[in-house]
Amino acid sequence: MAWMKKTAVGLVAAALLAGAGAALYVQRSFARLDGGLTVAGLAQSVQVLRDGADVTHVRARSPQDAWFAMGYVHGQERTWQLEFNRRVMHGQLSEVFGPATLETDKLMRGLDIMGAARRQYEGLPLYAQEALQAYARGIQAFHKNRPQALPPEFQVLGVQPGGADGAVWTAEDSVGWALMMALDLGGNWGNEFARLSVARTLDTDRLWQLMPPYPGEQPAAAADLAQLYRSLGVYRPAGANGPAAASGAQADVQAAGFLDRQIGAGMLAWSDELARNAGTNEGKGSNNWVLAGSRTVSGKPLLANDPHLGLSAPAIWYFAGLQAPAGRASDGTPIAAIDAVGATLPGLPFVVLGRTDKVAWGFTNTGPDVQDLYLEQINPADSTQYRTPQGWAPFTVRQETIRVKGQADVVLQLRSTRHGPVLSDVQKSHADVLDLGKYVLALRWTALDADNQTVVAGLKTNQSKTVDELFEGLAHYHSPMQSVVAADDQGTIRFKAAGRVPVRDAANDIRGVAPSPGWDARYDWKGWLPYDQTPRDDGAKGWIATANQRVTAPGYPHYLTQDWALPYRYERIAQLIEATPRHDVASMQAIHRDATSLAVRRLLPYLLQAQPSHALAAAAQQQLQGFDGVMDAQRAAPLIFAAWTDELARGLLVPRIGKERFEATYGKRDYRAALEGILERNDAWWCQPMSCAEQSSAALGRALDRLQAAYGADPARWRWGVAHPALSAHRPFSSVAALARFFDVSVPSHGDAYTVNVGQYNAGEAKGPFVNRHAPSLRAVYDLADLEQSRFIYQTGQSGLVFSPRYRDMSATWAETGYRALQRRPGRWVHTLALNPAPAAP
């Protein structure tokens, strides 16, 4: 008994010690928010103040110290996020996650993201280089004398910040992160490749029915694409050169230990999705609108913005204010005073979206065609050469080595042509489609050009005082092109598309919508659209809105793209603006809240006419009674509609293009325009061997089978929000059930891909096909009558440290479209931290 008592006491003591140690670690992982810290590298003291809305305000005595302190704060709050993002763009994830992330690493090395970043950094003006250097030094200073414990991601994964060489962040990394945003938003090479793929089984007319041009327009390409590719013999022979039955990464994931297996499986799925969806604008969008004083209660402009990006925990944004007086660069170049507050991107030292004391701005993605794929023909007599207009020329070849955890290094031989990198060397999907012994695909992409100075534009926006000054600064904006709306306190409003767009030859009969023969000079770009000729609107009708729809006015002389987003969100915003003669902040917020899907209304009659012989058909139709396309999280009807359209797409398209091709191109691309056209034409070819009405009924029957299996046999208890939570997933712990409940942020959400309050889902996902993964990454409303009355919200919290109560404290407010104050001079400070320079050495 004495022995048992001693053992019990020992176990209790050990548990108490472990608990105390865990509690101490949790406390030590928090960011220091109050008091003072000595930080080597500062010239003078900087105040870091946090207000009641948890916005961080950096107040410095020079621009350089402001940028340095912003880096330090990002290091405090988003350490793991910076580390993960740095590894993504460097193609170094596999050092941590093994072969699961090899495809992503290959793609980043193939695109040479960091090589392009270094070349672009060298071309920046000195003051911009010094801004990025100061920011990087701030991150480095945080790690050099770190006042808090490393977050658990580092502990669990056994990773040190900066990896083996300890390079936690460099100035070139900031340029690289701007490029990564361009990769996320500025591409259509995925659409080009999809058209090449489906043209193997569809003739060109059917191809344009599957992937229609923008409503009211003819296809941009005059060429017979299907005939062109067949005549060139680009496709791999049936049964040859196909994909392996199972990848090495999958096998290694299965062989790993439990935790590594869980993490590896999740990272493998994420990596494959990133590689598959790179170069596509499908499912990516944003809203912004601005009203002139003639349309507002106050007589001054109102502006709203909600950029739609992939949801993550922590969020992509960090809200901060920067204030510093005018200064000079080391060569004497004047630097204007900085005074801005809004959304920063960890990795960049300025406010990306927000306001100064006199002007506010918001972005949406313009989506011009700035990526062209080129078929490069390989010399049959010498595979080191490809065909050009002048004859055969050698590929440029470089070697990259990827370190892989638990395995030998992977050595890549990467080719490029006069157009750019050979994507076929790093995208395994090309082997499924192309005869790689005869052709490869190379990418021409504006963002990789050495003259990309997007970061200069970002720095200048933070110094602007008028709409004119803002757009003068945005003349430096390169990639990805953005539809910018702006307003100032003098009453000026404006829209302009800012960014680089290529000019194509009049003889170019493909116009970049599908891969072009790389040896034919008429398909080469001929120059650039001047900034003064990009689309512009000065708001003559009293308001301007963009939602990724076509932004060019009738008669606009230049071709930008045909891959605009369907105009449903824009049309709904226009309806809501016109429905109220004069708006205020509350009515702007109501537009943000709107969950009416005009796209649902277009197809809803076909669903209501469906007559499946299913036991739940009558109960399901009862849930659809009175449904008017409002995608309310508390209703069953939106879930029934979503499942029906998914099954309808599968039922109509798989027999025509094949299961593998459908799965490779479906998901974020939902083929909604194709479905609308098929049903409205009552197209017997697509609907065969049944009628379109029979296909619709059969699709509803399959949908009800799925929903019954997942949510029970009572449709009255089904809820869209249960199937459609907004999931801000953590990388890499989202795939580990025991950890995901702590690291992920999930809340029921309204909307679909076509609502103003957007809720984009990926129907191609086997797990969680209706989960909202792409939504308003922030919402903001700016009142130019009193900019201190401006509002914002985003979907997680300011802290990226999982144990912090500030990790997810905005999520519920965001889900219900609430807001926090966005002020430059709040009434009180909740936290006050002084960053003090280290004493000079004696």
Side-chain angles (χ1 to χ4, degrees), residues 67-112:
W67 296 320
F68 180 103
M70 193 72 258
Y72 192 92
V73 168
H74 283 162
Q76 277 189 307
E77 301 269 40
R78 302 295 182 89
T79 308
W80 172 249
Q81 184 179 40
L82 288 168
E83 175 70 17
F84 187 84
N85 291 346
R86 186 189 63 79
R87 286 185 175 276
V88 171
M89 62 189 173
H90 279 262
Q92 294 177 348
L93 287 171
S94 298
E95 294 180 14
V96 177
F97 301 109
T101 51
L102 196 52
E103 294 306 313
T104 293
D105 284 349
K106 287 179 179 179
L107 180 61
M108 297 306 148
R109 301 292 184 97
L111 291 171
D112 195 21

Side-chain angles (χ1 to χ4, degrees), residues 513-563:
V513 302
S516 304
W519 56 90
D520 190 333
R522 65 182 162 146
Y523 298 116
D524 292 339
W525 295 350
K526 305 304 179 184
W528 307 105
L529 182 62
Y531 182 60
D532 63 5
Q533 295 181 36
T534 65
R536 171 174 169 165
D537 184 343
D538 289 322
K541 66 182 179 182
W543 62 270
I544 311 163
T546 79
N548 316 111
Q549 86 288 357
R550 184 181 67 180
V551 295
T552 54
Y556 182 73
H558 305 292
Y559 173 75
L560 298 186
T561 185
Q562 75 162 27
D563 288 329

Side-chain angles (χ1 to χ4, degrees), residues 42 46-50 55-60 62-78 82 131 134-140 142 317-323 338 340-352 462 798 835:
L42 282 171
V46 176
Q47 283 190 304
V48 178
L49 312 168
R50 289 171 171 88
V55 176
T56 301
H57 298 256
V58 173
R59 294 190 170 178
S62 72
Q64 289 84 355
D65 277 354
W67 296 320
F68 180 103
M70 193 72 258
Y72 192 92
V73 168
H74 283 162
Q76 277 189 307
E77 301 269 40
R78 302 295 182 89
L82 288 168
Y135 176 77
R137 287 198 304 272
I139 298 174
Q140 294 160 9
F142 167 75
W317 303 109
Y318 182 85
F319 267 72
L322 287 88
Q323 293 184 30
I338 301 169
V341 63
T344 70
L345 283 170
L348 294 170
F350 47 78
V351 171
V352 177
N462 289 202
Q798 285 279 75
L835 301 182

Side-chain angles (χ1 to χ4, degrees), residues 458-525:
L459 293 168
K460 287 184 173 293
T461 59
N462 289 202
Q463 303 163 334
S464 59
K465 299 295 184 183
T466 66
V467 165
D468 286 338
E469 285 184 12
L470 181 83
F471 283 108
E472 286 170 11
L474 287 169
H476 296 273
Y477 198 94
H478 190 289
S479 300
M481 185 179 238
Q482 296 293 289
S483 295
V484 185
V485 297
D488 61 29
D489 62 356
Q490 299 303 303
T492 303
I493 69 169
R494 185 175 303 158
F495 149 76
K496 188 167 178 60
R500 181 69 63 86
V501 179
V503 173
R504 294 175 173 83
D505 196 307
N508 183 338
D509 59 356
I510 296 178
R511 300 182 89 180
V513 302
S516 304
W519 56 90
D520 190 333
R522 65 182 162 146
Y523 298 116
D524 292 339
W525 295 350

